[in-house]
């Protein structure tokens, strides 16, 4: 066996690699990135294709490529856009400019819908306002008996949802490009659906303070409409009431201040129970209502 090639002049040994990552973290911290060490490590691992702790060094292509990615992140491009991927419940999903990046609070919302779906052998599950298809894909993967239908109004998001769902759960999710709040959408399924899950736009006007969200997430994915952001969520409650069968479950993500209004909307729409669940930080985050 021939001896390995000696490191080239621009290759990094393990110490130089770690020093480059520490330096990147300092640059990201100075730029105001909230989790600079984690982001610096994930960007490095993206290029290395392996965990940093297992990496003995990097080739000569690494440093220029790494500095370019770190520069984008320092310019406050969201990490998921720089990497081209995002995660929900352990699934790696593709990200695309103009499509909403799934958030940690949706982990719990998707989990609640999955639990309701897994209680039945062959449930019909509808994900309204599916965006990238993240929730729909998670339901399909974690509730293997489910048939999943996902609805999204934006063409680019619907295309991405089809790609994500087809890669993660081939043949299991139908993505429909339509207005989720229109009575004609999935009208053939009225009264037949076991679980409706939705993370719709729900922010009240003027409530986005985070610069990355304001610059990179589409407005139609953020603001729910009306004085309190509730126009789309309340319309989704109404559409879910028509879609669900008796005993069917609605799980609807919302802003922490919208719990009482949405419990009231659910009761007014004919749901038998309406409760508010909390996210991982303990804030009111979703409606769980039984038809
Ligand atoms: C907050 S994002 C959530 C996306 C995805 N459910 C998730 O959790 O990542 C809301 C999504 O709803 C879509 N949307 C907004 N209004 C809609 C409507 N009336 N019908 C269908 N989709 C809608 C937006 O385009 C956006 O993709």
């Amino acid at each position: 066996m021939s001896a390995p090639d000696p490191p080239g002049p621009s290759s990094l040994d393990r110490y130089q690699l770690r020093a480059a990552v520490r330096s990147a973290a300092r640059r990201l911290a100075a730029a105001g990135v909230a989790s600079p060490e984690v982001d610096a490590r994930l960007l490095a691992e993206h290029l290395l294709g392996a965990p940093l702790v297992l990496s003995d060094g990097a080739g000569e292509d690494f440093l220029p490529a790494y500095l370019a990615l770190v520069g984008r992140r320092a310019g406050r491009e969201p990490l998921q856009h720089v990497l081209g991927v995002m995660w929900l419940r352990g699934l790696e999903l593709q990200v695309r400019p103009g499509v909403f990046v799934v958030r940690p609070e949706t982990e719990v919302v998707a989990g609640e819908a999955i639990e309701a779906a897994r209680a039945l052998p062959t449930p019909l599950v509808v994900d309204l306002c599916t965006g990238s298809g993240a929730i729909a894909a998670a339901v399909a993967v974690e509730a293997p008996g489910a048939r999943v239908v996902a609805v999204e109004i934006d063409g680019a998001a619907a295309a991405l949802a089809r790609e994500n769902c087809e890669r993660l759960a081939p043949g299991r999710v139908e993505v429909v490009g339509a207005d989720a709040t229109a009575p004609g959408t999935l009208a053939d399924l009225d009264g037949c659906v076991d679980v409706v899950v939705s993370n719709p736009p729900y922010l009240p006007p003027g409530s986005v303070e985070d610069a990355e969200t304001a610059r990179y997430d589409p407005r139609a994915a953020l603001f729910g409409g009306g004085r309190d952001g509730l126009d789309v969520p309340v319309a989704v409650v109404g559409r879910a009431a028509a879609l669900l069968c008796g005993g069917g479950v609605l799980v609807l993500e919302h802003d922490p201040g919208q719990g009482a209004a949405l419990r009231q909307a659910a009761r007014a729409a004919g749901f038998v129970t309406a409760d508010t669940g909390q996210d991982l930080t303990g804030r009111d985050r979703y409606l769980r209502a039984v038809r």
Side-chain angles (χ1 to χ4, degrees), residues 31-173:
V33 171
S35 49
E37 286 87 10
V38 173
D39 288 23
R41 178 174 57 75
L42 288 173
L43 291 170
E45 291 177 345
H46 175 68
L47 292 175
L48 294 166
L52 186 60
V53 287
L54 299 180
S55 298
D56 285 333
E60 61 186 24
D61 295 342
F62 174 83
L63 199 54
Y66 186 53
L67 293 177
L69 295 184
V70 171
R72 286 171 62 187
R73 185 68 188 112
R76 303 305 300 273
E77 189 173 342
L79 179 71
Q80 296 91 336
H81 282 293
V82 179
L83 296 176
V85 293
M86 59 184 176
W87 300 271
L88 182 75
R89 296 184 66 84
L91 295 180
E92 187 175 286
L93 298 127
Q94 301 296 307
V95 184
R96 202 159 290 155
V99 181
F100 184 82
V101 170
V102 70
R103 300 297 206 275
E105 46 267 32
T106 304
E107 299 273 341
V108 179
V109 174
E112 190 74 51
I114 288 163
E115 193 180 315
R118 285 174 65 96
L120 300 166
T122 54
L124 174 56
V125 181
V126 170
D127 175 14
L128 298 177
C129 304
T130 196
S132 62
I135 299 175
V139 172
V141 168
E142 293 189 54
R147 174 190 165 206
V148 184
V149 182
V151 180
E152 168 59 46
I153 203 167
D154 178 76
L160 182 60
R162 281 188 195 100
E163 288 175 36
N164 277 324
C165 291
E166 208 37 49
R167 188 171 42 81
L168 294 165
R172 300 276 318 289
V173 182

Side-chain angles (χ1 to χ4, degrees), residues 197-261:
V197 58
S198 181
N199 174 20
Y202 55 67
L203 294 180
S207 60
V208 175
E209 290 159 10
D210 169 46
E212 293 180 22
T213 300
R215 269 172 53 201
Y216 286 93
D217 284 310
R219 291 184 65 77
L222 298 175
F223 299 105
R227 204 167 32 88
D228 41 19
L230 281 164
D231 283 6
V232 176
V234 168
V236 167
V237 170
R239 191 68 203 102
L243 285 166
L244 286 166
C245 59
V249 176
L250 166 64
V251 182
L252 174 72
E253 183 170 322
H254 61 67
D255 203 51
Q258 296 170 335

